[in-house]
Amino acid sequence: MVAAASVVVAVGTASGMLTALDDRRGSDEAKPEVTSTPYLAPLPAVPTPSASPSPRQGASASPSPKKKPSATPTPTRTEQKEQDLTAFVSTRLYRHPESQVLDWVRANGADPRQAVIESRIADQPAALWFADFTPSTITSRVRAVTSGGVAQGRVPVVVAYAIPGRDCGGASEGGAPDLDAYDAWIDAFAAGLGSGEVVVILDPDSVAQADCLSSGERSRRFASLARAGRVLKAANSRARVYYDAGHSGWNSATKQAGWLRQAGAASAASSDGVFSNVSNFHRTSDEIAYDRRVLDALGGPAGLGAVIDTSRNGNGAPADGEWCDPSGRKIGRAPTLSTGEARIDAFLWVKLPGESDGCKGSPGTFSPSYAYELAR
């Protein structure tokens, strides 16, 4: 397997991702959004990590990256600053009140790492993954998230991750059993979107990793993805749907745009643009340049934009291509819908920092030592 963005645990097992399992609500303390982001000095090391809590039953894990190795150039002075960007909470994005990191923060007030993990990770709005194929509950679970966003006047980010044959049968295998079942699951997913603003990340890896499919399989998948975008946007006119552009160290912009066009990403009826760097580590500046090349090659309406996962890219990607909880990584730019960058609609935390890729803990579970390493 090359270049996949993710690894998920088996359906029905415990997980560390943010997830909407019920209609519980929690308060979300608003903090002021800033137009210029101050920098924080590194914090001291903290000894003796405590055990992470048992993950919540019934959740699905947010994926971890497996990526095509690519050289990481020596960062510029500006790029080096990305690792220290302070994590101020966006007042526009929704933070779901249930997650493993929040569980750990609430249960470990005496841990010397708690304040850093809370302020720099737990307080941040992050995406919620729907990675298990559960047709009977998917509508109510999505609705729990979108209604929570409406109640707070904020924008949730949800990840639909159920494409058949995902990860080409690798560690993230799962999803719907076939495309007909996937189409029906998308219909049910869309029924939970409500009428408020919502960002939908449509199936990470589904386009960038399509090399493993035959030409016929690829065409059928792309047709189903194009349908998915149309269904999602028809269900909620305020839903913004983004398609898989991989990342700057993977396919060329021209190749990726060609596939994205087949998958419906160039049509205003199904797409608002593309996403990149999900669960990955490539620098924001590299992703901005890459996404603009993809959008230029894609064509379509002038309003198409891109969103970038900045959750763990503060130090860029490891030069050796390591994808599994690589050391020396840092959280990146705080989530925001105001990037100040042309054609870049948002910086998002799609992968929650501290959730293991499978090396510092079981896949998808929260590791406080890993979270602290990323945040300090």
Side-chain angles (χ1 to χ4, degrees), residues 226 229-234 236-237 239-241 243 264-273 298-304:
R230 293 193 300 271
V231 168
L232 294 165
K233 290 189 69 64
N236 180 351
S237 62
R240 297 184 63 83
V241 179
Y243 280 74
S267 169
S270 54
S271 170
D272 291 279
L298 178 63
L304 294 182

Side-chain angles (χ1 to χ4, degrees), residues 82-83 87 120-121 310-314 330-332 349 353 374-375:
E82 287 184 7
Q83 66 180 323
R120 296 195 176 187
I121 295 178
T310 60
S311 60
R312 304 187 298 179
N313 72 344
K330 297 294 179 184
I331 57 173
W349 283 15
L374 290 165

